[in-house]
Amino acid sequence: MSDRPLRIGLLMHSLNPRGGVVHTLELADALVSKGHEVTVFAAARHGERLFRETLAELSVAALPADLPADLVAMVGARIDAVYRHLRAWPDLVDLDVLHAQDSISANALARLCDEGAIPGFVRTVHHLDVFDEPQLQAWQTKGVHAASRLFCVSELWQGVLARDWQLRAERVSNGVNLQRFGKLVSTEQAVRDAATCRQWGVQPEGPVWLAVGGVESRKNTTRLLRAFVQARVQRPDAQLVIAGGASLLAHEAEVQAFTALADQHGLLPGLDHSDRLVITGPLPDDVLPALYRRADAVAMPSLKEGFGLVVLEALACGTPAIASRMAPFTEHLGPQDVLWVDPTDHDDIARALLLSLDEQHVRPVLARADEICARMSWAHSARQHEFFYRQQRIHHA
């Protein structure tokens, strides 16, 4: 098998900081560092910028200025934009591998396959959703079945594809960037962190619990808020910070339930206790490590995840994590590595929030954090991808 540098196209659905996008950029940088030529493709509106720099080349598919608000029409427009952009891209036939990270880019590549413009593509399935809208479900199905080869970052979704789809997926590792996420190393960094947290409304004193990913049903955000309300009975000085949340999908039902609960307990902005609950929305890339380091714990009682990279990022920053006692978390974390919770029980989540303030419980949780993060490297992930990419190239040759 030739070891010449590969020409790789990695596709992601947007320029926003979502899990699959972060995975794509980290993988791209690791592959470039190994000497490969990598182009990252994404769709964006005019004026949108990638939330962080990348070592790879970036090729942006222009979205129409009048991008539809309707979800189905919007997704269709994004698929079409990526398809047209790739169809016109002059170096498409020179790429050894095209790799999609989501249904949008996978459907664009599937159209190119149907036309014979490319011989195939690989696809990472981070997780799968259930859509009420038939067209969204159809796109998801095609984006899986049309791929020449499938990857998963967890045994959970590898098993789902085998059991429910009768499809084989290769397991590839996820990683954590230890250059971006780490413990405090200097007084100067502590000062910068404090200024960053202050800018985003994070209190300088008192307990802070952080959730990352915005208000979504699969993130279990409303139940986390209910647990926070309960925990505040004992710690009224505590604050819940919900960071991020740049999503293409609509989450109206969860947002409505969350808002109603916050309103019921006087936690909405402008009320007496509005500083107890902070919702940042999408964040600049350099803000998240400071929030991790300030938090007493990062809460991730998710009902569904592809991997749960936030937990590793928190541990890398020396912050304990609260995680659902379910796969994929249980695949790569041991019994003492996080504060485990039943994600369907807000009492249990509240218990873990309070335990995270107890040094006696936190110390063993962080004991293996460095070891856990060290074995989850993007360099290792890049080596795995490279191995499968070379097989894919030979298969298509």
Side-chain angles (χ1 to χ4, degrees), residues 19-154:
V21 175
V22 171
H23 178 99
T24 305
L25 296 177
E26 295 286 7
L27 176 60
D29 286 355
L31 289 167
V32 170
S33 296
K34 288 178 62 64
H36 302 294
E37 294 180 34
V38 182
T39 302
V40 172
F41 298 92
R45 301 186 196 212
H46 178 73
E48 283 188 313
R49 295 289 181 267
L50 187 61
F51 70 97
R52 76 162 66 156
E53 293 183 358
T54 175
L55 299 176
E57 293 294 321
L58 179 65
S59 184
V60 177
L63 292 170
D66 56 345
L67 190 66
D70 174 74
L71 180 59
V72 173
M74 181 270 288
V75 170
R78 285 179 174 272
I79 293 171
D80 190 60
V82 175
Y83 159 77
R84 291 180 182 279
H85 181 75
L86 289 171
R87 196 74 177 85
W89 198 64
D91 300 323
L92 184 65
V93 295
D94 294 327
L95 292 175
D96 293 303
V97 176
L98 283 158
H99 181 176
Q101 297 281 347
D102 55 84
S103 287
I104 288 175
S105 56
N107 273 269
L109 292 176
R111 286 174 64 178
L112 291 169
C113 284
D114 291 343
E115 295 174 358
I118 59 173
F121 65 95
V122 299
R123 162 80 193 278
T124 297
V125 176
H126 293 274
H127 65 85
L128 296 167
D129 296 299
V130 176
F131 296 105
D132 294 330
E133 170 54 54
Q135 182 60 71
L136 294 177
Q137 194 67 40
W139 277 327
Q140 177 171 254
T141 300
K142 183 169 185 177
V144 173
H145 279 293
S148 308
R149 190 167 211 163
L150 296 171
F151 302 148
C152 287
V153 298
S154 71

Side-chain angles (χ1 to χ4, degrees), residues 40-368:
V40 172
F41 298 92
R45 301 186 196 212
H46 178 73
E48 283 188 313
R49 295 289 181 267
L50 187 61
F51 70 97
R52 76 162 66 156
E53 293 183 358
T54 175
L55 299 176
E57 293 294 321
L58 179 65
S59 184
V60 177
L63 292 170
D66 56 345
L67 190 66
D70 174 74
L71 180 59
V72 173
M74 181 270 288
V75 170
R78 285 179 174 272
I79 293 171
D80 190 60
V82 175
Y83 159 77
R84 291 180 182 279
H85 181 75
L86 289 171
R87 196 74 177 85
W89 198 64
D91 300 323
L92 184 65
V93 295
D94 294 327
L95 292 175
D96 293 303
V97 176
L98 283 158
H99 181 176
Q101 297 281 347
D102 55 84
S103 287
I104 288 175
S105 56
N107 273 269
L109 292 176
R111 286 174 64 178
L112 291 169
C113 284
D114 291 343
E115 295 174 358
I118 59 173
F121 65 95
V122 299
R123 162 80 193 278
T124 297
V125 176
H126 293 274
H127 65 85
L128 296 167
D129 296 299
V130 176
F131 296 105
D132 294 330
E133 170 54 54
Q135 182 60 71
L136 294 177
Q137 194 67 40
W139 277 327
Q140 177 171 254
T141 300
K142 183 169 185 177
V144 173
H145 279 293
S148 308
R149 190 167 211 163
L150 296 171
F151 302 148
C152 287
V153 298
S154 71
E155 293 177 13
L156 168 66
W157 292 103
Q158 195 179 29
V160 169
L161 287 172
R163 182 184 65 250
D164 299 339
W165 295 63
Q166 290 75 55
L167 293 172
R168 179 188 176 191
E170 308 289 352
R171 173 80 182 276
V172 294
S173 64
N174 223 327
V176 59
N177 186 331
L178 298 181
Q179 279 68 55
R180 292 194 66 245
F181 300 102
K183 304 180 182 80
L184 280 174
V185 296
S186 68
T187 303
E188 291 78 7
Q189 187 182 56
V191 171
R192 290 194 300 270
D193 278 8
T196 297
C197 289
R198 186 166 56 251
Q199 177 185 356
W200 289 91
V202 181
Q203 64 185 15
E205 304 290 340
V208 172
W209 295 308
L210 173 67
V212 178
V215 178
E216 296 186 16
S217 57
R218 74 179 183 92
K219 298 291 184 184
N220 210 14
T221 325
T222 300
R223 192 172 279 116
L224 173 60
L225 179 60
R226 193 174 299 280
F228 170 67
V229 169
Q230 182 171 324
R232 284 194 67 233
V233 174
Q234 294 187 43
R235 293 306 301 259
D237 57 337
Q239 184 182 55
L240 177 63
V241 178
I242 299 177
S247 175
L248 298 184
L249 299 179
H251 303 285
E252 286 93 345
E254 183 74 3
V255 170
Q256 289 176 5
F258 181 92
T259 303
L261 182 61
D263 187 21
Q264 177 185 343
H265 293 278
L267 294 171
L268 290 179
L271 299 177
D272 289 344
H273 301 291
S274 60
D275 61 333
R276 300 294 96 199
L277 174 64
V278 173
I279 304 175
T280 70
L283 293 165
D285 188 52
D286 58 352
V287 171
L288 197 53
L291 298 188
Y292 280 138
R293 287 188 285 263
R294 169 62 186 94
D296 289 273
V298 169
M300 203 173 192
S302 304
L303 298 172
K304 180 191 293 185
E305 284 291 342
F307 181 83
L309 185 55
V310 166
V311 169
L312 292 187
E313 293 172 349
L315 292 176
C317 292
T319 301
I322 296 165
S324 300
R325 191 182 291 104
M326 55 181 277
F329 298 109
T330 52
E331 294 175 16
H332 54 271
L333 296 165
Q336 304 300 320
D337 294 340
V338 296
L339 295 170
W340 295 106
V341 295
D342 176 354
T344 67
D345 184 350
H346 72 269
D347 291 331
D348 199 33
I349 300 170
R351 173 196 59 82
L353 291 174
L354 294 170
L355 283 179
S356 72
L357 306 181
D358 185 338
E359 180 65 24
Q360 181 179 349
H361 286 89
V362 168
R363 193 180 304 111
V365 168
L366 294 177
R368 291 194 330 115

Side-chain angles (χ1 to χ4, degrees), residues 382-397:
R383 287 193 295 272
Q384 290 180 301
H385 281 85
E386 179 186 32
F387 175 78
F388 293 125
Y389 288 163
R390 292 194 186 281
Q391 291 184 340
Q392 185 74 10
R393 183 178 65 83
I394 290 172
H395 176 72
H396 286 161

